[in-house]
Amino acid sequence: MSKKSKSKDKPKKHSHDGRVKGEGVAVKDLDAKQTDIHVKREKMKTKDYEQELAGLQIELVKMQEWIKARGLKVVILFEGRDAAGKGGAIKTITMSLNPRYARIAALGTPTEREKTQWYFQRYAPHLPAAGEMVLFDRSWYNRAGVERVMGFCTEEEYQEFLRSCPEFEKMLIRAGIILIKYWFSVSDEEQERRFQSRIDDPTKRWKLSPMDMVSRSKWVEYSRAKDTMFAYTDTKQSPWNVVNADNKKRARLNVIADLLGKIPYKDLTPEAIKLPPRQDDKGYVRPPMTDQTFVPEVF
């Protein structure tokens, strides 16, 4: 990925995984142990990853400025298996962005009151206003995944979701929201390795929720639920974009490159920024430093 600045005259599009537009491979069900997609690629060197990421993050900042200036409303959904790398990808995307305009929505378990609401109601307050981008770390698709598999919803509620979800998303799109959906696909072998890594690392054990543990024994049920979800909600107006997430570094770069290509933008970066002169501190007397409590310098 080139680090050169974008032209200010023509919106540029990035291709997924560095390929020229139109040369991508067909997306298949990546959760079914398909070796044609989950091919083991050599690990990406950290130096190469950081170099590519630095250029992409500059472009993300440019894209955010374009979204703000044009008053666009962007919603990005991140779904996938447990330990598929959704959270890491979201963190990588947002780390260089202005948090006032790029928000993460990661909703917890619904309250008793929320359980009685229209299903999509608890998600609506998190939708963006003009100039904002909201990244959902899991979304209303919980009903088609964990709620379905774990029996947290009735059959009637599940069937109603499958019918109403495409209509709900059409409403969002008609309201001017740019809706982008990513499904992070990870092989069962890689998911198992990541689970073990979380168990061995005390700083990551909090990531292993009770639902994560149960998901190990319900791999087939989750696969079937995902297949049904795609059959109903992978529409022309709002398609799913499947990410091969077995390699975290490549997955993050590929998602960012794909995202940049889905929102054509122009570089609005000022040619130069000149700082104004600092105000003269004449007449200002700083209070004694002994009047303040400082953090102990133990390092």
Side-chain angles (χ1 to χ4, degrees), residues 205-265:
R205 287 176 187 166
W206 63 269
K207 295 183 177 181
L208 285 173
S209 69
M211 292 299 101
D212 294 335
M213 306 304 288
V214 175
S215 68
R216 297 180 73 254
S217 61
K218 293 183 176 292
W219 179 273
V220 175
E221 286 88 339
Y222 272 101
S223 294
R224 288 172 177 163
K226 178 258 182 181
D227 292 342
T228 302
M229 181 185 79
F230 266 48
Y232 279 86
T233 64
D234 186 17
T235 64
K236 182 178 180 180
Q237 297 85 356
S238 181
W240 280 102
N241 302 277
V242 183
V243 182
N244 180 355
D246 265 11
N247 186 299
K248 289 184 178 180
K249 292 178 181 177
R250 295 184 186 279
R252 292 169 187 174
L253 296 178
N254 288 334
V255 165
I256 296 175
D258 187 76
L259 175 60
L260 291 170
K262 292 189 184 310
I263 306 178
Y265 60 95

XYZ file of all heavy atoms in Angstrom, residues 205-265:
505
model
N -7.602 -13.728 29.869
C -8.616 -14.678 30.320
C -10.002 -14.065 30.401
O -11.008 -14.761 30.302
C -8.205 -15.254 31.680
C -7.049 -16.248 31.578
C -6.591 -16.738 32.923
N -5.384 -17.543 32.805
C -4.606 -17.876 33.824
N -4.912 -17.470 35.049
N -3.521 -18.601 33.627
N -10.048 -12.734 30.599
C -11.354 -12.072 30.679
C -12.120 -12.189 29.361
O -13.349 -12.042 29.327
C -11.172 -10.597 31.040
C -10.412 -9.797 30.018
C -9.069 -9.588 29.983
C -10.945 -9.106 28.886
N -8.716 -8.816 28.901
C -9.863 -8.500 28.207
C -12.231 -8.930 28.381
C -10.024 -7.745 27.057
C -12.387 -8.173 27.217
C -11.300 -7.590 26.578
N -11.387 -12.459 28.267
C -12.039 -12.588 26.964
C -12.824 -13.889 26.833
O -13.637 -14.030 25.926
C -10.993 -12.524 25.848
C -10.277 -11.181 25.728
C -9.325 -11.186 24.553
C -8.647 -9.833 24.357
N -7.741 -9.828 23.184
N -12.573 -14.839 27.725
C -13.261 -16.121 27.654
C -14.543 -16.056 28.478
O -14.532 -16.281 29.688
C -12.346 -17.238 28.166
C -11.211 -17.671 27.233
C -10.290 -18.643 27.943
C -11.770 -18.299 25.970
N -15.628 -15.739 27.823
C -16.913 -15.673 28.496
C -17.527 -17.074 28.559
O -17.094 -17.986 27.853
C -17.855 -14.734 27.737
O -18.211 -15.314 26.489
N -18.539 -17.252 29.404
C -19.221 -18.550 29.423
C -19.750 -18.966 28.051
O -19.742 -20.144 27.703
C -20.367 -18.319 30.422
C -19.845 -17.257 31.339
C -19.033 -16.348 30.462
N -20.183 -17.959 27.258
C -20.685 -18.265 25.916
C -19.559 -18.788 25.021
O -19.776 -19.660 24.174
C -21.312 -17.026 25.294
C -22.598 -16.566 25.950
S -23.922 -17.794 25.879
C -23.809 -18.472 27.554
N -18.362 -18.248 25.214
C -17.227 -18.725 24.425
C -16.948 -20.199 24.711
O -16.656 -20.977 23.797
C -15.975 -17.902 24.747
C -16.101 -16.456 24.319
O -16.880 -16.184 23.398
O -15.417 -15.604 24.915
N -17.020 -20.566 25.978
C -16.729 -21.949 26.350
C -17.766 -22.895 25.756
O -17.430 -23.971 25.251
C -16.704 -22.063 27.876
C -15.747 -21.080 28.563
S -14.041 -21.201 27.962
C -13.564 -22.772 28.684
N -19.034 -22.489 25.807
C -20.094 -23.350 25.275
C -19.987 -23.471 23.754
O -20.309 -24.513 23.171
C -21.479 -22.801 25.670
C -22.593 -23.625 25.027
C -21.632 -22.813 27.191
N -19.514 -22.402 23.091
C -19.459 -22.405 21.628
C -18.563 -23.515 21.093
O -18.754 -23.981 19.966
C -18.971 -21.045 21.115
O -17.611 -20.828 21.451
N -17.582 -23.952 21.898
C -16.692 -25.035 21.458
C -17.462 -26.319 21.196
O -17.115 -27.095 20.302
C -15.598 -25.281 22.491
C -14.659 -24.125 22.711
C -13.585 -24.448 23.750
N -12.589 -25.372 23.234
C -12.516 -26.649 23.590
N -13.384 -27.161 24.432
N -11.560 -27.430 23.090
N -18.493 -26.536 22.001
C -19.249 -27.772 21.866
C -20.429 -27.634 20.913
O -21.188 -28.593 20.724
C -19.759 -28.224 23.243
O -20.618 -27.250 23.801
N -20.608 -26.452 20.333
C -21.737 -26.213 19.439
C -21.269 -25.655 18.095
O -21.909 -24.797 17.505
C -22.743 -25.257 20.103
C -23.448 -25.841 21.314
C -24.478 -24.886 21.873
C -25.251 -25.508 23.028
N -26.117 -26.626 22.594
N -20.143 -26.128 17.632
C -19.577 -25.632 16.382
C -20.537 -25.837 15.213
O -20.759 -24.937 14.406
C -18.243 -26.332 16.101
C -17.599 -25.894 14.825
C -17.812 -26.394 13.572
C -16.655 -24.835 14.663
N -17.046 -25.732 12.648
C -16.330 -24.766 13.286
C -16.036 -23.953 15.532
C -15.424 -23.856 12.773
C -15.123 -23.042 15.026
C -14.830 -22.995 13.662
N -21.112 -27.030 15.124
C -22.006 -27.333 14.002
C -23.268 -26.481 14.071
O -23.737 -25.958 13.047
C -22.361 -28.831 13.987
C -23.390 -29.122 12.889
C -21.110 -29.673 13.761
N -23.831 -26.315 15.289
C -25.033 -25.500 15.433
C -24.778 -24.059 15.007
O -25.615 -23.439 14.339
C -25.530 -25.534 16.883
C -26.183 -26.836 17.282
C -25.183 -27.852 17.816
O -23.971 -27.714 17.517
O -25.606 -28.786 18.507
N -23.605 -23.522 15.377
C -23.269 -22.158 14.972
C -23.079 -22.073 13.461
O -23.445 -21.073 12.834
C -22.004 -21.685 15.691
C -22.272 -21.039 17.034
C -22.076 -21.729 18.220
C -22.734 -19.719 17.116
C -22.325 -21.141 19.455
C -22.989 -19.120 18.343
C -22.784 -19.834 19.504
O -23.042 -19.250 20.710
N -22.513 -23.108 12.873
C -22.320 -23.111 11.424
C -23.662 -23.101 10.699
O -23.863 -22.360 9.728
C -21.506 -24.337 10.996
O -20.181 -24.271 11.491
N -24.593 -23.904 11.169
C -25.918 -23.946 10.555
C -26.628 -22.606 10.719
O -27.294 -22.121 9.788
C -26.734 -25.071 11.171
C -26.277 -26.470 10.755
C -26.985 -27.542 11.547
N -26.591 -28.891 11.094
C -26.787 -29.996 11.799
N -27.380 -29.934 12.983
N -26.395 -31.163 11.316
N -26.511 -22.022 11.914
C -27.155 -20.727 12.153
C -26.572 -19.659 11.243
O -27.300 -18.816 10.705
C -26.982 -20.329 13.623
N -25.260 -19.704 11.046
C -24.608 -18.728 10.172
C -25.060 -18.919 8.727
O -25.324 -17.940 8.006
C -23.099 -18.872 10.287
C -22.288 -17.944 9.386
C -21.770 -18.679 8.167
C -20.924 -17.773 7.295
N -20.438 -18.478 6.086
N -25.174 -20.163 8.283
C -25.613 -20.424 6.918
C -27.023 -19.892 6.682
O -27.315 -19.285 5.647
C -25.569 -21.926 6.630
C -24.148 -22.473 6.601
O -23.214 -21.659 6.462
O -23.978 -23.705 6.746
N -27.919 -20.118 7.647
C -29.287 -19.617 7.522
C -29.308 -18.098 7.524
O -30.038 -17.461 6.751
C -30.161 -20.159 8.666
O -30.139 -21.591 8.644
C -31.592 -19.663 8.528
N -28.522 -17.497 8.399
C -28.438 -16.038 8.475
C -28.003 -15.453 7.141
O -28.588 -14.476 6.654
C -27.445 -15.635 9.567
C -27.287 -14.132 9.769
S -25.989 -13.760 10.965
C -24.509 -13.974 9.941
N -26.992 -16.046 6.526
C -26.523 -15.559 5.234
C -27.595 -15.728 4.163
O -27.759 -14.873 3.290
C -25.251 -16.305 4.821
C -23.982 -15.603 5.215
C -23.817 -15.116 6.500
C -22.944 -15.445 4.310
C -22.652 -14.477 6.876
C -21.779 -14.793 4.679
C -21.624 -14.307 5.957
N -28.323 -16.832 4.210
C -29.342 -17.094 3.200
C -30.411 -16.009 3.198
O -30.944 -15.656 2.145
C -29.978 -18.464 3.451
N -30.717 -15.457 4.367
C -31.761 -14.439 4.473
C -31.231 -13.013 4.379
O -31.943 -12.118 3.913
C -32.498 -14.596 5.808
C -33.559 -15.664 5.806
C -33.221 -16.992 6.074
C -34.895 -15.366 5.560
C -34.191 -17.991 6.081
C -35.866 -16.353 5.567
C -35.502 -17.672 5.825
O -36.462 -18.656 5.831
N -30.010 -12.773 4.827
C -29.545 -11.383 4.996
C -28.373 -10.994 4.114
O -27.942 -9.841 4.158
C -29.166 -11.127 6.466
O -28.044 -11.962 6.829
C -30.331 -11.426 7.393
N -27.851 -11.908 3.325
C -26.779 -11.553 2.384
C -27.449 -11.058 1.108
O -27.556 -11.765 0.117
C -25.899 -12.767 2.109
C -24.685 -12.414 1.255
O -24.352 -11.212 1.145
O -24.063 -13.338 0.694
N -27.915 -9.810 1.159
C -28.715 -9.262 0.072
C -27.876 -8.372 -0.837
O -26.766 -7.966 -0.489
C -29.883 -8.435 0.639
O -29.353 -7.306 1.362
C -30.726 -9.277 1.583
N -28.450 -8.049 -1.986
C -27.761 -7.181 -2.936
C -27.561 -5.792 -2.356
O -26.519 -5.166 -2.546
C -28.558 -7.093 -4.237
C -27.897 -6.243 -5.316
C -28.709 -6.248 -6.595
C -28.032 -5.403 -7.674
N -28.815 -5.393 -8.935
N -28.568 -5.297 -1.614
C -28.473 -3.964 -1.027
C -27.527 -3.940 0.168
O -26.894 -2.927 0.449
C -29.863 -3.480 -0.585
C -30.862 -3.309 -1.698
C -31.568 -4.614 -2.032
O -31.267 -5.676 -1.480
N -32.531 -4.524 -2.959
N -27.441 -5.057 0.892
C -26.634 -5.106 2.100
C -25.916 -6.448 2.198
O -26.281 -7.315 2.995
C -27.522 -4.882 3.340
O -26.756 -4.907 4.513
N -24.869 -6.641 1.396
C -24.188 -7.938 1.364
C -23.234 -8.137 2.541
O -22.779 -7.176 3.166
C -23.412 -7.868 0.048
C -23.086 -6.412 -0.104
C -24.298 -5.682 0.426
N -22.943 -9.385 2.827
C -21.910 -9.726 3.806
C -20.550 -9.753 3.110
O -20.431 -10.247 1.988
C -22.187 -11.084 4.434
C -23.213 -11.056 5.510
C -24.525 -11.445 5.428
C -23.014 -10.608 6.853
N -25.149 -11.262 6.626
C -24.247 -10.747 7.533
C -21.918 -10.099 7.556
C -24.414 -10.411 8.876
C -22.084 -9.755 8.888
C -23.316 -9.907 9.535
N -19.557 -9.239 3.783
C -18.179 -9.272 3.291
C -17.391 -10.200 4.216
O -17.186 -9.890 5.387
C -17.572 -7.866 3.306
C -18.363 -6.884 2.471
O -18.203 -6.805 1.257
N -19.243 -6.115 3.114
N -16.987 -11.351 3.690
C -16.350 -12.377 4.502
C -14.840 -12.167 4.539
O -14.200 -11.972 3.506
C -16.682 -13.781 3.967
C -16.081 -14.851 4.858
C -18.189 -13.964 3.870
N -14.291 -12.204 5.749
C -12.865 -11.970 5.961
C -12.204 -13.264 6.413
O -12.631 -13.872 7.400
C -12.640 -10.884 7.041
C -11.148 -10.610 7.216
C -13.389 -9.608 6.690
N -11.188 -13.697 5.712
C -10.383 -14.830 6.167
C -9.548 -14.335 7.345
O -8.599 -13.577 7.173
C -9.488 -15.332 5.038
C -8.628 -16.523 5.457
O -8.622 -16.932 6.609
N -7.892 -17.069 4.500
N -9.905 -14.754 8.546
C -9.307 -14.188 9.762
C -8.336 -15.122 10.456
O -7.984 -14.897 11.615
C -10.412 -13.791 10.739
N -7.873 -16.156 9.780
C -6.913 -17.058 10.418
C -5.597 -16.356 10.725
O -4.902 -16.719 11.671
C -6.656 -18.276 9.522
C -7.550 -19.449 9.899
O -8.488 -19.248 10.696
O -7.307 -20.569 9.408
N -5.244 -15.372 9.900
C -4.048 -14.569 10.154
C -4.506 -13.170 10.552
O -5.056 -12.428 9.734
C -3.170 -14.518 8.897
C -1.848 -13.810 9.142
O -1.822 -12.634 9.488
N -0.750 -14.529 8.983
N -4.306 -12.813 11.810
C -4.841 -11.560 12.338
C -4.284 -10.346 11.612
O -5.018 -9.407 11.287
C -4.547 -11.445 13.835
C -5.343 -12.388 14.704
C -5.051 -12.140 16.170
C -5.883 -13.042 17.067
N -5.599 -12.799 18.500
N -2.988 -10.321 11.365
C -2.374 -9.148 10.743
C -2.916 -8.934 9.339
O -3.296 -7.819 8.966
C -0.853 -9.301 10.719
C -0.196 -9.258 12.096
C 1.305 -9.474 12.003
C 1.948 -9.445 13.386
N 3.403 -9.718 13.331
N -2.961 -10.007 8.560
C -3.467 -9.876 7.196
C -4.950 -9.513 7.207
O -5.411 -8.715 6.379
C -3.241 -11.179 6.430
C -1.771 -11.535 6.222
C -1.625 -12.778 5.372
N -0.238 -13.225 5.276
C 0.662 -12.716 4.449
N 0.290 -11.747 3.628
N 1.902 -13.162 4.426
N -5.706 -10.089 8.138
C -7.135 -9.796 8.211
C -7.379 -8.320 8.486
O -8.247 -7.691 7.874
C -7.789 -10.655 9.287
N -6.615 -7.744 9.411
C -6.797 -6.331 9.743
C -6.481 -5.442 8.556
O -7.218 -4.508 8.246
C -5.918 -5.973 10.936
C -6.346 -6.641 12.234
C -5.310 -6.480 13.315
N -5.656 -7.268 14.497
C -4.873 -7.411 15.549
N -3.669 -6.835 15.561
N -5.257 -8.139 16.581
N -5.376 -5.743 7.886
C -5.009 -4.942 6.721
C -6.051 -5.073 5.614
O -6.417 -4.085 4.971
C -3.631 -5.365 6.205
C -2.435 -5.149 7.138
C -1.160 -5.661 6.485
C -2.287 -3.678 7.512
N -6.526 -6.294 5.393
C -7.505 -6.524 4.331
C -8.822 -5.808 4.613
O -9.447 -5.249 3.706
C -7.752 -8.021 4.164
C -6.574 -8.731 3.514
O -5.800 -8.126 2.775
N -6.421 -10.006 3.798
N -9.253 -5.818 5.881
C -10.503 -5.142 6.235
C -10.376 -3.635 6.024
O -11.275 -2.990 5.479
C -10.894 -5.453 7.692
C -11.966 -4.494 8.181
C -11.402 -6.879 7.802
N -9.264 -3.063 6.469
C -9.079 -1.615 6.308
C -9.028 -1.241 4.833
O -9.664 -0.272 4.399
C -7.800 -1.146 7.026
C -7.931 -1.380 8.534
C -7.546 0.333 6.749
C -6.661 -1.063 9.309
N -8.288 -2.011 4.039
C -8.203 -1.729 2.609
C -9.572 -1.834 1.950
O -9.945 -1.014 1.104
C -7.212 -2.682 1.944
N -10.349 -2.831 2.352
C -11.685 -2.996 1.788
C -12.597 -1.854 2.208
O -13.367 -1.329 1.397
C -12.271 -4.331 2.251
C -13.584 -4.649 1.570
O -13.559 -5.047 0.399
O -14.643 -4.487 2.216
N -12.514 -1.450 3.469
C -13.341 -0.357 3.966
C -13.042 0.936 3.217
O -13.952 1.680 2.832
C -13.098 -0.163 5.464
C -13.799 1.019 6.138
C -15.310 0.907 6.004
C -13.382 1.110 7.606
N -11.765 1.214 2.998
C -11.379 2.423 2.269
C -11.941 2.406 0.843
O -12.262 3.458 0.284
C -9.860 2.543 2.222
C -9.163 2.843 3.559
C -7.649 2.686 3.417
C -9.516 4.226 4.069
N -12.063 1.221 0.270
C -12.596 1.117 -1.080
C -14.105 1.254 -1.155
O -14.647 1.522 -2.224
N -14.786 1.060 -0.036
C -16.245 1.132 -0.041
C -16.764 2.546 0.194
O -17.953 2.804 -0.011
C -16.816 0.185 1.023
C -16.588 -1.290 0.704
C -17.340 -2.177 1.652
C -17.050 -3.640 1.395
N -17.179 -4.072 0.002
N -15.905 3.446 0.647
C -16.323 4.826 0.875
C -15.372 5.731 0.092
O -14.345 6.183 0.623
C -16.300 5.187 2.370
C -17.141 4.185 3.172
C -16.809 6.611 2.595
C -17.144 4.433 4.655
N -15.647 5.983 -1.184
C -14.767 6.864 -1.972
C -14.655 8.227 -1.288
O -15.649 8.795 -0.848
C -15.497 6.969 -3.316
C -16.330 5.722 -3.387
C -16.772 5.466 -1.984
N -13.452 8.738 -1.220
C -13.210 9.992 -0.497
C -12.105 10.782 -1.176
O -11.340 10.250 -1.997
C -12.819 9.703 0.953
C -11.558 8.878 1.093
C -10.307 9.465 1.297
C -11.606 7.484 0.990
C -9.163 8.701 1.394
C -10.463 6.714 1.083
C -9.242 7.325 1.293
O -8.107 6.565 1.378
